Amino acid sequence: MHGSTAASGTGTEGTASRGHRWLRLHRVAPLLLLALGVAAVFGSRRLGLGELTAPGPGLWPFIVSLLLTGTAAVLVLLDPAEDYEPWTRGTVRIIAGLVSLGVFILLFQTFGFVVAAFLMLLLWLRVFGGESWRMTLVLAVGGTAVMYLLFVEALGVPFPDGLVDAVIGG
Amino acid sequence: MDSWNGILQGFSVALDPTNLLYVFLGVLIGTVIGVLPGLGPTATIALLLPITYTVEPVTAVILLAGIYYGSMYGGTITSVLLRLPGEAASVVTTFDGYQMAKQGRAGPALGIAAVGSFIGGTVSVVGMVLLAPPLADLAVSFGPPEYVALTVLGILLVTYLGTGSVLKSLSMAAVGLLLATIGLDPITGTARFTFGEVSLFNGLDFVAVAMGLFGVGEILHSLERTEKVQAVTSKIKGIWPTRKDFRDSAGAIGRGSVLGFAIGVLPGGGGVVSSLASYAMEKRRAKDPSRFGKGAIEGVAGPETANNASSTSAFIPLLTLGIPPNVVLALIFGALLVQDITPGPQLIEQQPEIFWGVIASMVIGNLMLLALNIPLVGVFVQMLRVRAGILAAFALLVTMAGVFSVNNNVFDMWVVLGFGVIGWLMKKTGFEPGPLVLAFVLGSILERAFRQSMLISGGSFDIFVTRPISGGMFAFMALIIIVSAITSRRRKAVFGRVDPADVDETDEPGPDADRQVTAEGSPGADSTTDTPSSTTPGER
């Protein structure tokens, strides 16, 4: 569920930044919530409401999604617009940052923690942090080492096997 | 007498070398993140949740509690010196604290805040010792309907006391309750909203949700801003306030202690509300209110005392009723749940070492903070030199590695990322994550209690109003809704009286400083219950 919300969220946001600067996400957020609420109402009915004397698995979700639908419906009509922050050029950085986090997870799964952590620190420090190359390299190498020692050696977290483990182990 | 034994037991727990180390770590981390404007206590506690699973439950709570009240001290430092509130509860301190700093009285402002915080914290601990055991005794007789009333009250108060739109908060609470239903139905075992994903059968992991919304969401949000913070160059001298300062602020500290304690106990209370209330109270009581916003020491002493008192007393509902009164406490509640400890009325009886140990650790922690803060202010200020980009990179890496370590499951990393996106979008669109997380934590308690109540009553809703305690609580809720509907305009006026005028008055330092506050003030802002997302909290 969170996945779909996230995906649609980033989608709307893309169109907004392509449009005018003054275009705010007005009304889109409550509409998304409304859609979520309505979907949940039907979903919980499918689960089986049962009776009040013998509540089924869907009864409580049903009540909650009614509350969500109700509040979202009112918000569609009278949402104060001043709550919304405008989309800025910084938004592009965020999307790039999000993509990089997704890539981090994939790298983490396939190549292990050390490679993924080093590359992520490299990217974030250099591109998003604007550090010098020297500072970036020092921090990325040092940071990866410290994190590895902390999580793997000190806390004993079983990270997925990666390149480094293969090298050390082999 | 019983309490006395409890206190002795508590100190024997808190003085254990490991726990002593964790109190120290907690208050130190708390102070540091209070100073750093990018990270609030909520985000930090969320980030550190995975680490707490490797230690004893009592040690975990001691650490997290230390972070919470430690951040109340730390937030003061940047509020006074730079007019940058490190966390939301310190926004009020910028009004008079920064003015005092401009008049060369930064030292006394910080000194009186530290002393006031210490007194507030201590008064709260005493109040907790007196109030918690009888409250727990009362709560032992609570049945499912009372728990329904209590959780609903908690969620309602968080949505009402938050500074944003009540309707938006309510819808977020509904989302939180809905998210809490994901997973196997506790009674029938039916899979609900899992979409065939096995990792969802146990529900969304609380840690992943909290880390995503508060940790990643906040980091992303602060990434959009590129402004740099200026370091303080001038030296701070004469920290210890003069005798006149003490005389001037004694009343404010006394009132702040009591007010903060009372607000902290209420569901939905917490640092932000209590410091605003204390400031409003001092200003109203003052013979010459026009001094406020121009460096009145009471305007620093009162709110700082109150926010620390409330961050201590907020533990009362958690440890006696099992109801977290605000988001930070909801995170601590989650940390205990994962340790297989359900806080509630039985906690004092069954796990006295947790209850009394935490209380004793607060006394020690407050002493440490007093000792740390007065001589080391200069050192903490240097923390501001750490650039936001470096902080963000490492915080994200710790988040990702940390959330994996909870269940050793990559799926949780995607959950963090997903909720990070949601958290950032919520910040952009003015929805508060607080009610969502609180409702998410309380959701399963509420559902279970509701279904049990229905079984007891044979499907009649009368059960909620005919029983005296739950009936009373629902009446109280109805009263809140009615009163706030009638006086919603006045409520704004009360909060409005505190801020806009003062912010305007202090607005003179020029566009540069102004930009800093709007830019850096907000990232740490949603620390406790509510999110004032700019320089004027509670104004909307």
Side-chain angles (χ1 to χ4, degrees):
Chain A
M1 177 178 310
H2 62 88
S4 67
T5 327
S8 37
T10 26
T12 48
E13 184 263 324
T15 48
S17 59
R18 239 181 285 126
H20 299 283
R21 182 71 60 82
W22 47 264
L23 184 68
R24 292 160 183 221
L25 250 198
H26 200 34
R27 305 272 144 96
V28 177
L31 277 175
L32 275 175
L33 283 177
L34 186 64
L36 178 67
V38 172
V41 167
F42 284 106
S44 21
R45 281 195 51 188
R46 238 196 337 269
L47 286 170
L49 299 183
E51 300 290 323
L52 274 182
T53 42
L59 180 68
W60 177 251
F62 183 70
I63 296 173
V64 171
S65 39
L66 282 185
L67 176 67
L68 176 60
T69 312
T71 47
V74 182
L75 279 175
V76 171
L77 298 176
L78 29 100
D79 190 19
E82 70 265 27
D83 277 6
Y84 290 78
E85 287 181 21
W87 303 103
T88 60
R89 223 171 298 156
T91 311
V92 183
R93 289 157 57 90
I94 307 286
I95 297 167
L98 285 171
V99 172
S100 79
L101 285 181
V103 173
F104 169 80
I105 300 176
L106 295 174
L107 284 175
F108 175 78
Q109 257 176 311
T110 38
F111 296 110
F113 178 75
V114 174
V115 175
F118 176 73
L119 290 177
M120 192 187 118
L121 285 178
L122 210 60
L123 176 79
W124 276 75
L125 292 170
R126 176 68 199 162
V127 179
F128 298 120
E131 298 295 324
S132 66
W133 269 116
R134 203 166 133 196
M135 191 71 172
T136 303
L137 279 173
V138 169
L139 282 174
V141 171
T144 309
V146 170
M147 294 284 172
Y148 185 82
L149 289 177
L150 177 70
F151 280 98
V152 179
E153 302 299 332
L155 297 175
V157 177
F159 282 139
D161 285 341
L163 286 177
V164 175
D165 301 87
V167 171
I168 297 172
Chain B
M1 268 301 99
D2 237 14
S3 298
W4 190 240
N5 286 333
I7 294 169
L8 287 181
Q9 187 191 2
F11 274 102
S12 74
V13 172
L15 288 172
D16 171 87
T18 315
N19 291 337
L20 218 47
L21 175 70
Y22 275 87
V23 180
F24 179 73
L25 278 179
V27 296
L28 188 67
I29 295 172
T31 311
V32 170
I33 57 122
V35 171
L36 295 171
L39 279 177
T42 323
T44 309
I45 290 176
L47 295 183
L48 291 181
L49 279 176
I51 292 168
T52 62
Y53 304 148
T54 55
V55 297
E56 292 288 309
V58 63
T59 312
V61 185
I62 284 175
L63 172 73
L64 298 179
I67 294 175
Y68 185 32
Y69 56 76
S71 71
M72 298 289 158
Y73 278 75
T76 315
I77 299 175
T78 46
S79 299
V80 169
L81 296 179
L82 298 170
R83 221 178 68 170
L84 289 179
E87 37 85 43
S90 299
V91 171
V92 200
T93 310
T94 60
F95 303 158
D96 282 290
Y98 183 69
Q99 290 302 314
M100 283 182 74
K102 273 174 63 184
Q103 295 157 13
R105 307 211 326 124
L110 292 171
I112 203 77
V115 172
S117 296
F118 175 74
I119 295 173
T122 312
V123 167
S124 244
V125 167
V126 174
M128 193 165 168
V129 169
L130 296 177
L131 185 66
L135 200 60
D137 284 344
L138 177 73
V140 170
S141 63
F142 282 12
E146 280 76 25
Y147 271 93
V148 171
L150 212 53
T151 41
V152 174
L153 178 67
I155 294 169
L156 195 73
L157 283 178
V158 165
T159 61
Y160 268 84
L161 292 178
T163 41
S165 146
V166 171
L167 211 55
K168 282 184 157 182
S169 299
L170 213 54
S171 68
M172 282 301 105
V175 172
L177 291 174
L178 190 62
L179 291 173
T181 65
I182 293 176
L184 296 184
D185 174 19
I187 295 173
T188 63
T190 318
R192 300 191 291 191
F193 305 121
T194 55
F195 305 101
E197 176 66 60
V198 181
S199 300
L200 278 178
F201 278 15
N202 285 326
L204 285 170
D205 195 273
F206 164 74
V207 177
V209 173
M211 288 177 98
L213 282 179
F214 290 113
V216 178
E218 202 147 285
I219 295 165
L220 290 174
H221 190 246
S222 66
L223 200 68
E224 265 182 285
R225 308 145 189 283
T226 41
E227 284 90 334
K228 291 249 158 67
V229 181
Q230 289 171 350
V232 198
T233 41
S234 62
K235 277 209 157 181
I236 306 146
K237 47 189 179 225
I239 296 268
W240 199 252
T242 63
R243 196 169 290 178
K244 181 176 179 303
D245 290 336
F246 275 118
R247 235 190 349 260
D248 287 345
S249 41
I253 290 176
R255 285 184 292 274
S257 302
V258 177
L259 190 70
F261 176 79
I263 291 178
V265 177
L266 290 178
V272 188
V273 183
S274 62
S275 56
L276 278 174
S278 166
Y279 192 83
M281 185 191 225
E282 291 311 319
K283 197 172 172 182
R284 207 175 307 143
R285 280 186 57 93
K287 288 199 193 88
D288 176 16
S290 67
R291 286 194 308 120
F292 280 77
K294 292 176 189 151
I297 197 162
E298 304 96 293
V300 176
E304 284 300 320
T305 307
N307 71 31
N308 204 50
S310 74
S311 66
T312 304
S313 64
F315 279 82
I316 295 177
L318 178 74
L319 297 178
T320 59
L321 307 175
I323 301 295
N326 64 42
V327 180
V328 175
L329 273 296
L331 293 174
I332 295 175
F333 182 71
L336 280 172
L337 285 184
V338 180
Q339 298 252 19
D340 270 336
I341 288 173
T342 311
Q346 277 88 21
L347 186 83
I348 300 181
E349 289 278 307
Q350 289 172 359
Q351 260 122 357
E353 77 280 1
I354 293 185
F355 179 80
W356 295 108
V358 170
I359 288 188
S361 84
M362 287 172 165
V363 177
I364 297 169
N366 272 299
L367 269 173
M368 284 179 175
L369 281 168
L370 194 62
L372 273 178
N373 264 269
I374 298 216
L376 293 181
V377 165
V379 179
F380 286 127
V381 169
Q382 296 304 313
M383 303 277 173
L384 285 169
R385 293 188 176 204
V386 178
R387 284 184 286 272
I390 299 178
L391 199 66
F394 279 95
L396 282 172
L397 190 57
V398 172
T399 307
M400 283 301 178
V403 77
F404 175 82
S405 72
V406 179
N407 297 322
N408 300 329
N409 189 348
V410 175
F411 180 78
D412 287 339
M413 296 169 91
W414 291 109
V415 175
V416 164
L417 188 55
F419 275 93
V421 177
I422 296 174
W424 166 63
L425 286 173
M426 281 166 68
K427 277 202 153 246
K428 295 286 286 183
T429 51
F431 286 92
E432 295 183 19
L436 193 160
V437 170
L438 193 74
F440 180 72
V441 171
L442 293 177
S444 54
I445 304 175
L446 179 54
E447 178 180 6
R448 203 183 319 118
F450 173 75
R451 284 165 77 167
Q452 285 166 349
S453 306
M454 285 294 104
L455 289 175
I456 295 171
S457 72
S460 161
F461 285 99
D462 289 351
I463 191 169
F464 296 118
V465 286
T466 49
R467 293 167 67 115
I469 296 178
S470 74
M473 281 193 261
F474 274 107
F476 180 56
M477 284 181 245
L479 194 73
I480 294 173
I481 294 171
I482 295 166
V483 168
S484 76
I486 296 169
T487 61
S488 67
R489 210 170 282 170
R490 246 193 81 206
R491 187 175 92 116
K492 272 181 198 148
V494 169
F495 277 105
R497 164 151 61 178
V498 177
D499 343 36
D502 296 307
V503 173
D504 288 341
E505 280 164 27
T506 50
D507 238 5
E508 67 233 48
D512 209 67
D514 199 33
R515 198 188 58 217
Q516 280 178 7
V517 177
T518 37
E520 302 289 340
S522 38
D526 70 343
S527 44
T528 35
T529 47
D530 19 38
T531 318
S533 58
S534 68
T535 42
T536 50
E539 191 198 4
R540 300 188 205 115

